[in-house]
Every structure is written in structure tokens, then in C-alpha cells.
Amino acid sequence: MNLRNSISRLVSEEVFYKAVLIMLVGLPVVELITEILVNYTDALIPSFFQPQIISLFGILGTFLTILYLLTLPREKRKLRLADIFYFTLLFFMVISAVFSLNPGVYSGGYPFYCEHPLHFLAYYWLYFAGTLIDKKQYRKNILFAFTGVALLEGVFAFFQTYDIELSYSLYYHVERTAYGLTQNSNFYGGMCVIFVSAVSGMYIFADNIVDAKIKEYGLLAVASFLFYTLLGSRARLAWIGIIGLIIFYFISLFVMYRKAEDKAVIKAAVRRALILLGAFAAVFGIAFFFTDYISEVMVRSYWEFANGDIEKMGTDRIYNWKMGLSNVPANWLTGVGLDNYRYVFISAPDYMEGMYLQDKAHNEYIHILVTQGVPSLINYLTLLILTASRTVKNIIKENAPEKRALAWIFLGIFIAYCAQALFNSSVNYVVIYFWLVIGLLAPRNVIKVNKSSN
């Protein structure tokens, strides 16, 4: 009995929550230390420890998840949707890796860009852990952790817009461009979409998140600052994410205002949403008149359009997608191989060394379709659709203001990330936050309608 109690404590909600926090906060802190050390030794490079830490949590997290499922009391052994998706995600990942047309190679073998099986174990563990974390304070603390990480990344991103770097960019860097600790401005843009969405939601629903006006104003300042660094990334995909976030809040606040019995509660959120939108507009104006963040993006987009070659649009994204999709009919069941997108280029009959190729589709949905197959994409899209639809229902049904606000905030992050994923790549240092959010939107405790209020 004592052994059973010890195991139960080992796989409790609190343990999953603390493990998640250690991973999410620990990664950027380790990267910060690494970049400092890079200046004093040639034995290290930026991002050196990131894939290793994520792999370690993939192993440990999977162990905790299996232990949790095996030690559940009989009366609680009810198969839930989260359990089904956890195993289907694992199944399609393993099948795609086993039947890869280029076995054992992930993103061309680049250790700091690829997503190998241990990374996927970490993603799916974060998803499962999110479904277990139901306490309001734990969920709030995760949002505060997001804010802390965002500030850490954002401070370095801000200085990078003035070409002041802690070490150097490992992958891709343009002068006066923000990349934070991610080593790529596009990656930072995608990460910043998550963080701007999180802090914006916290400000909009500040009544339920913070207990003092000074903290509320602080959230507005942080959201505005992060939005500035987002523009500084020059990543057009980040614009798509923020546009998705704005549309989401416009529609959802409008719908909830019409449905709410106590409209004063929604009015406060609407007022803060309009203030936030005004702050974003002011930051956009500052960036437009005093930097080249906006003009450079507009000129680049114009010349891609004026070039007349559709395949060149989006920095060759159309051509990239076309090459990937052309391989789907022949490999529709298991794909060309887990994170093995470059195979569609190197396997082309006319390919020669030195020709254009990509390791990622720069569209997460096409990437999954091409590398893991049609069934895997259907499984993933089903997970996303069910997560979003059930969260909307939960927000409408939930009578507790704090729980509703938290679900609303996480749904905003979810929508914004899904929007930018149409043009971005999944990379482990960024996508870990998204997988946790998917889980947080699918709590194991079912929200029931309060019939007395009907």
C-alpha cells in the first residue's frame, strides 16, 4: 500500500506541473548560459544543449505518463479522448519513422533543426501533462512562466534589432533583426506569436488573472514590448498569427457579449481589448516611421508578387509546397519519413548536388502530410478541431469566471499558433509551448452545465 501511495505521488498532477515548468523555464535559461560560454570556448555552439534536454524530457515524460496510466485506480480507468490521441500520435510517429524512405535521417541530420522520435515523445508528453493540469493556480503559473520566458527572449531580441548580440546566430540572421535565443528570426516570430497571445489574453482578462492595477498595466506594457520585437523579427508569418489572434478576440468577445447575462463582465474585457489594439497600433506606427521593419517586409512582398513567378512567393514557399505535395500520391499512407522532407528534393530525377532543397515544408500541415502521411494528418487535424470546438463549448458553459478566462486565453494562443503554422516550420524549441497548450485545452475534468442557470 505504501509503495502504491509513493507511486501515486510520483505521478500526481503536481509532479507533472512541476516537470513542465522545469522544462519550459529551464530550456531558455540553459540556452542563455550556453551563449555566454560560447564567447569563451570553441567547444560549444549556440543551442548545443537544447535538443538533448528535450530528448531527456521525452524519455522521462513518457516514463511518467506510462506509470500514471498503469497505476490508475480501477474506478478511474476510463479511456478518455486525450488517452486515445496520445497513443494515436505515438503510433503514427513510430510508423512514419520505421517506414522512412531515408531511415534514421531527420531534417538532413542537422541536430539543432531536426525533430527526431525522442523530441516527439516530449511533445506528446507535454500534451498529456497539459490534460492533467487542472488547478487554476497551476494554469495561471504556467501563463506567468510564459511571460517570464517571453521577457527573457524579448530583451535579447530587442538588442538584436540594434545588432547587439550575446553570441551569434547559428542558422539565419539579417542585420537589425530579432531572433531571441531561437537562432532564427522566423522561429522567434513564431514563438513571439505564442507569447504575445498569452500576455495579451492575460491583460484582456486581467480581472481574473492579476490582483492589482499595476500588474494589469504591466501586462499591457509587456504585450506591447513583445509586439515590437515580433515586428523586429521581420517574419511575415508572425503577422498572420497576430491577425488570427485579433480576429479570434473580435469574434469571440462579440459572441460572448451577446450571450452574456451580465454584460458588464464582458464589457471590461472588450474595453481592455480595444486598449490593447490601440497600443499595438501605436507600436506599429512607431515601427513604421522609425524603423524599416514594416517597409522591408512590404517591399519584399511586393517584389515577390511583381516578379510574376508564383512559385517564388513567400520566399519560395509555393515551390517548396508543390514539391512536397507531388510526393503524396506515392507515399500517402506513411509519408516519406518522419521529418524527412528533404527527401522530396533529393529523390527528384533531375536533382543534382547544390540545387535548391528544404528540410521543412514551411507549412506544418503540409509537412505532416508529406512526411507522415494522410492518416497522420487526419489524426492531427481531428485533434486540433476537437480541441478547439470543445474549448468553445466549455467557455460558453463554464460559470466560474477564472476557469473561463483561462480557457479563453489558451484558446487564443492555440488559434494564433495554428494561423502562423500555415507558413512556419515546427521546431522543437518553439513547438513545445503549443503542445502543452493543446493539452491545457483538454482537461480531464468535464465541465457540466449548471442547470439552475438555464
Side-chain angles (χ1 to χ4, degrees), residues 304-367:
E304 286 179 352
F305 179 79
N307 179 57
D309 187 351
I310 295 178
E311 292 186 352
K312 289 290 183 182
M313 294 184 67
T315 321
D316 295 310
R317 274 174 172 75
I318 303 298
Y319 175 72
N320 192 11
W321 299 344
K322 179 182 174 181
M323 288 294 293
L325 293 173
S326 68
N327 275 256
V328 173
N331 305 285
W332 69 272
L333 188 58
T334 61
V336 297
L338 190 69
D339 200 30
N340 188 26
Y341 198 83
R342 74 158 40 199
Y343 181 82
V344 306
F345 295 95
I346 64 176
S347 63
D350 59 344
Y351 176 77
M352 292 187 296
E353 191 70 29
M355 291 179 63
Y356 174 91
L357 61 78
Q358 280 286 349
D359 290 303
K360 301 284 187 179
H362 293 282
N363 176 305
E364 292 191 27
Y365 312 105
I366 292 178
H367 189 84

Side-chain angles (χ1 to χ4, degrees), residues 225-296:
F225 170 71
L226 293 175
F227 182 65
Y228 177 84
T229 66
L230 179 147
L231 295 175
S233 73
R234 305 176 190 268
R236 288 173 288 183
L237 56 90
W239 291 32
I240 301 298
I242 294 302
I243 290 171
L245 179 72
I246 292 171
I247 292 173
F248 162 73
Y249 272 118
F250 177 83
I251 294 174
S252 61
L253 287 170
F254 176 76
V255 171
M256 289 300 288
Y257 180 80
R258 292 192 63 183
K259 286 181 172 290
E261 293 182 4
D262 184 5
K263 298 190 184 300
V265 176
I266 304 299
K267 276 185 178 179
V270 170
R271 176 179 58 81
R272 280 191 289 267
L274 291 174
I275 292 173
L276 181 68
L277 188 61
F280 283 177
V283 171
F284 191 89
I286 291 170
F288 182 82
F289 289 107
F290 297 100
T291 75
D292 66 341
Y293 307 155
I294 313 300
S295 59
E296 187 274 334

Side-chain angles (χ1 to χ4, degrees), residues 27-337:
L27 265 176
V29 170
V30 169
E31 175 55 24
L32 171 59
I33 295 171
T34 302
E35 292 210 25
I36 293 173
L37 295 177
V38 162
N39 295 300
Y40 300 98
T41 176
D42 294 331
L44 292 176
I45 58 175
S47 295
F48 184 83
F49 294 107
Q50 285 179 12
Q52 300 175 53
I53 293 173
I54 294 173
S55 297
L56 177 62
F57 273 93
I59 296 170
L60 294 177
T62 302
F63 172 75
L64 284 176
T65 301
I66 293 173
L67 196 61
Y68 171 85
L69 293 171
L70 290 177
T71 57
L72 269 177
R74 183 173 298 177
E75 63 273 13
K76 293 184 178 180
R77 290 182 184 175
K78 180 181 178 181
L79 191 64
R80 297 181 183 274
L81 200 60
D83 304 329
I84 296 173
F85 276 117
Y86 177 74
F87 287 112
T88 56
L89 287 165
L90 283 175
F91 173 78
F92 287 120
M93 181 270 286
V94 171
I95 290 296
S96 178
V98 169
F99 291 98
S100 174
L101 299 179
N102 198 9
V105 176
Y106 310 99
S107 285
Y110 297 121
F112 311 113
Y113 190 42
C114 75
E115 295 176 295
H116 59 64
L118 293 182
H119 294 158
F120 284 92
L121 289 183
Y123 301 165
Y124 304 153
W125 164 67
L126 285 167
Y127 162 64
F128 191 87
T131 70
L132 292 174
I133 301 172
D134 192 46
K135 287 186 179 179
K136 290 182 295 184
Q137 193 56 51
Y138 287 172
R139 289 171 162 247
K140 284 184 182 180
N141 290 346
I142 287 173
L143 286 174
F144 288 126
F146 277 24
T147 305
V149 173
L151 282 171
L152 177 63
E153 296 273 355
V155 166
F156 290 105
F158 177 80
F159 283 113
Q160 286 156 5
T161 61
Y162 294 94
D163 282 336
I164 301 172
E165 300 176 89
L166 186 58
S167 58
Y168 60 90
S169 176
L170 185 65
Y171 297 130
Y172 171 75
H173 179 50
V174 176
E175 289 185 353
R176 303 188 311 280
T177 301
Y179 62 87
L181 299 173
T182 69
Q183 309 308 317
N184 185 299
S185 55
N186 275 349
F187 299 165
Y188 179 74
M191 173 182 277
C192 211
V193 165
I194 294 175
F195 293 149
V196 170
S197 301
V199 181
S200 296
M202 293 170 71
Y203 171 69
I204 290 172
F205 300 105
D207 289 342
N208 305 116
I209 303 299
V210 294
D211 55 4
K213 280 290 181 182
I214 187 66
K215 294 179 181 179
E216 177 183 327
Y217 299 143
L219 289 172
L220 176 61
V222 172
S224 302
F225 170 71
L226 293 175
F227 182 65
Y228 177 84
T229 66
L230 179 147
L231 295 175
S233 73
R234 305 176 190 268
R236 288 173 288 183
L237 56 90
W239 291 32
I240 301 298
I242 294 302
I243 290 171
L245 179 72
I246 292 171
I247 292 173
F248 162 73
Y249 272 118
F250 177 83
I251 294 174
S252 61
L253 287 170
F254 176 76
V255 171
M256 289 300 288
Y257 180 80
R258 292 192 63 183
K259 286 181 172 290
E261 293 182 4
D262 184 5
K263 298 190 184 300
V265 176
I266 304 299
K267 276 185 178 179
V270 170
R271 176 179 58 81
R272 280 191 289 267
L274 291 174
I275 292 173
L276 181 68
L277 188 61
F280 283 177
V283 171
F284 191 89
I286 291 170
F288 182 82
F289 289 107
F290 297 100
T291 75
D292 66 341
Y293 307 155
I294 313 300
S295 59
E296 187 274 334
V297 167
M298 294 175 68
V299 169
R300 181 159 33 112
S301 301
Y302 169 77
W303 281 113
E304 286 179 352
F305 179 79
N307 179 57
D309 187 351
I310 295 178
E311 292 186 352
K312 289 290 183 182
M313 294 184 67
T315 321
D316 295 310
R317 274 174 172 75
I318 303 298
Y319 175 72
N320 192 11
W321 299 344
K322 179 182 174 181
M323 288 294 293
L325 293 173
S326 68
N327 275 256
V328 173
N331 305 285
W332 69 272
L333 188 58
T334 61
V336 297

Side-chain angles (χ1 to χ4, degrees), residues 84-85 88-89 92 374-384:
I84 296 173
F85 276 117
T88 56
L89 287 165
F92 287 120
V374 174
S376 180
L377 178 64
I378 292 174
N379 181 67
Y380 181 64
L381 291 178
T382 302
L383 168 63
L384 298 187

